Amino acid sequence: MTLWNGSYPFYPGANACFPFDTTRAVIVTVFLSMLVTFIIILPGIRGRGRLFWFLRLVLGLSMGAVILTVQFTRDWETGWVQANTSYKSFSAVQVSADIGLHIGLAGVNVTLRGTPVRQINETIDYNEHFPWSFGADYDHSYSQGLQKGLPSPILYVAEKFSRQSPCAVHRQYRIAGHYVSLALWLAFCTWLISILLFSMSILLYGGHMLLLTATLILFSLLFFSTARNPLKCPIQFGSVTLRTGYGESFWLTLAAGLLCLLLGLGILILNSKQPEKLKLIFSLDKGSKEEEEEVWDKSCLPAEPSCSAQEGLVVPLGELCPGTATRL
C-alpha cells in the first residue's frame, strides 16, 4: 500500500451504514399493495365472514412476506462491541468506535461507527459488505478492501471469514447459507400452493401444505444453526470480544414457521373433529343457504302443465272449425 501525501489512501467519503435496501422495499411494497387492495373490497363481504376473511388475508400475506424477505436480509446473526482500536494500519493512533458484525445468507456486513463520529479530522462511519453467494468471490472482495485501504477493524473482522483464515468458518457459513436459501424458496412455493388450495376450498390438502411449509422453514433454521460456532474463532479487540447472537431475521423466520405449524395442525384437527366450524371459518356454509334460496325460487315459479292436461287440450280440427268448405 503506497502513501499519498503522508497518509494511507482511504475513501474520499465514508460508506453509510446499511444503505437503502431496494429489494426489501420492493417486496414490502408489493405485499402492502395487495393488502390495501383487499381491504378496499372488504366492506363488500357481509356478516361474520368478513372478520374471518380479513384474518386469513393478514396471516397469509404476512407469512409470504416474511418467507420472501428474509432471503435478502443481512441480520440472521448480529453482534456489536464498543472498543478503543487502531484506525489505520501501521499507526499507533486509536479511536473509540462501535464495531458491528451482521451475517446474512449471502455474505457478511462489517460496520464501524465512531463515538463520536467525527474523530482525528475524519468521519468514521463505514459499512462494508463481503459476499459469498453464487457467483461471488469473498477473497476477491477482501482483496479489494485491502487495495481501497479500509480501516483496520473492518479488515480484521472480514479476515476471520476468508478462506485462508485459520478459523475455517467461511465454508460452513457459505454452505449453510445456500441450503437455508434453498429451503426457504421451497417453503415459499409450498405457501403459494396452500393459498391456491384454500382458494379452491380444498382445506385438508391446504393444511398439509402449511405443515410442509412449516417443516421447510424449521429445517432452514436448523441448517443455519449448524454453522454457528462462536467459541471457535473469537474476534478480539484488546480486552473486549465481539460476540454474536441470532438476529431479527432468525427470530422472525422462527415465528413464521411456528405460526404455519400451528395453523396447519389446527386445520387438520378441526377437519377431523369439527368440520362445520372449519367450513364456517372459511365461509363455506353459504352453499347450503344458496341451494335453499334456489329451491324456494323454483317453488314460486308457475307449475308447468302436465301431460294429461296437455292431452285434454287436444281437440280434433273438425270440431274446432265446423262449417262447409268452399270449393275454389
Side-chain angles (χ1 to χ4, degrees):
M1 188 177 297
T2 59
L3 293 174
W4 179 261
N5 293 333
S7 63
Y8 291 94
F10 284 88
Y11 286 141
N15 244 2
C17 295
F18 283 98
F20 185 74
D21 192 347
T22 55
T23 304
R24 190 188 307 182
V26 169
I27 295 173
V28 173
T29 302
V30 169
F31 278 90
L32 285 180
S33 301
M34 295 173 61
L35 180 61
V36 171
T37 302
F38 285 116
I39 289 178
I40 292 175
I41 66 176
L42 185 63
I45 301 176
R46 299 179 181 179
R48 55 186 175 181
R50 180 187 303 173
L51 176 61
F52 292 131
W53 189 84
F54 179 75
L55 291 177
R56 296 197 309 268
L57 173 67
V58 173
L59 291 176
L61 291 180
S62 299
M63 288 186 295
V66 169
I67 296 172
L68 190 59
T69 303
V70 294
Q71 290 269 11
F72 309 99
T73 54
R74 301 174 182 177
D75 55 351
W76 278 75
E77 185 178 349
T78 59
W80 283 92
V81 68
Q82 185 176 7
N84 293 322
T85 180
S86 60
Y87 181 59
K88 300 178 180 180
S89 301
F90 311 107
S91 175
V93 178
Q94 291 193 340
V95 295
S96 177
D98 291 329
I99 306 168
L101 174 61
H102 314 273
I103 302 176
L105 302 181
V108 297
N109 271 70
V110 186
T111 302
L112 179 67
R113 183 183 304 143
T115 51
V117 177
R118 188 70 179 178
Q119 297 183 49
I120 59 173
N121 295 327
E122 291 188 24
T123 300
I124 305 175
D125 192 6
Y126 290 85
N127 179 73
E128 292 295 328
H129 179 64
F130 300 91
W132 57 47
S133 58
F134 288 113
D137 189 349
Y138 185 92
D139 292 339
H140 179 67
S141 300
Y142 177 72
S143 300
Q144 286 183 336
L146 289 174
Q147 296 175 4
K148 293 177 181 178
L150 291 177
S152 296
I154 295 180
L155 295 175
Y156 169 69
V157 176
E159 185 183 8
K160 296 287 185 179
F161 295 89
S162 63
R163 294 181 179 179
Q164 291 76 19
S165 174
C167 298
V169 295
H170 174 85
R171 176 180 173 83
Q172 61 190 46
Y173 269 108
R174 184 173 181 267
I175 294 177
H178 292 167
Y179 278 107
V180 171
S181 180
L182 176 61
L184 288 177
W185 279 119
L186 291 176
F188 184 73
C189 294
T190 55
W191 170 80
L192 288 176
I193 296 174
S194 68
I195 296 297
L196 179 62
L197 291 175
F198 287 139
S199 64
M200 298 171 61
S201 302
I202 309 176
L203 306 183
L204 182 59
Y205 291 103
H208 288 160
M209 282 293 104
L210 275 183
L211 288 180
L212 181 57
T213 303
T215 303
L216 291 171
I217 293 175
L218 295 179
F219 266 109
S220 69
L221 298 177
L222 180 61
F223 293 150
F224 187 81
S225 300
T226 58
R228 292 192 70 245
N229 194 355
L231 299 179
K232 187 175 181 179
C233 190
I235 303 176
Q236 198 78 21
F237 291 95
S239 59
V240 296
T241 304
L242 175 58
R243 303 185 184 277
T244 60
Y246 293 121
E248 295 180 0
S249 295
F250 182 90
W251 297 116
L252 193 61
T253 307
L254 178 60
L258 294 178
L259 181 60
C260 288
L261 181 62
L262 293 177
L263 291 177
L265 290 176
I267 290 174
L268 295 184
I269 293 174
L270 285 178
N271 184 76
S272 60
K273 300 296 184 181
Q274 296 179 341
E276 294 79 11
K277 289 187 177 180
L278 182 61
K279 292 181 179 180
L280 177 63
I281 293 175
F282 283 88
S283 304
L284 298 181
D285 56 341
K286 297 180 180 180
S288 59
K289 294 182 179 179
E290 292 176 357
E291 291 177 0
E292 292 178 358
E293 291 177 359
E294 291 178 1
V295 171
W296 185 83
D297 291 337
K298 291 180 180 179
S299 64
C300 295
L301 293 176
E304 295 180 357
S306 60
C307 295
S308 60
Q310 292 178 357
E311 292 176 356
L313 294 175
V314 177
V315 181
L317 183 59
E319 296 180 2
L320 291 176
C321 302
T324 59
T326 303
R327 180 175 297 180
L328 295 176

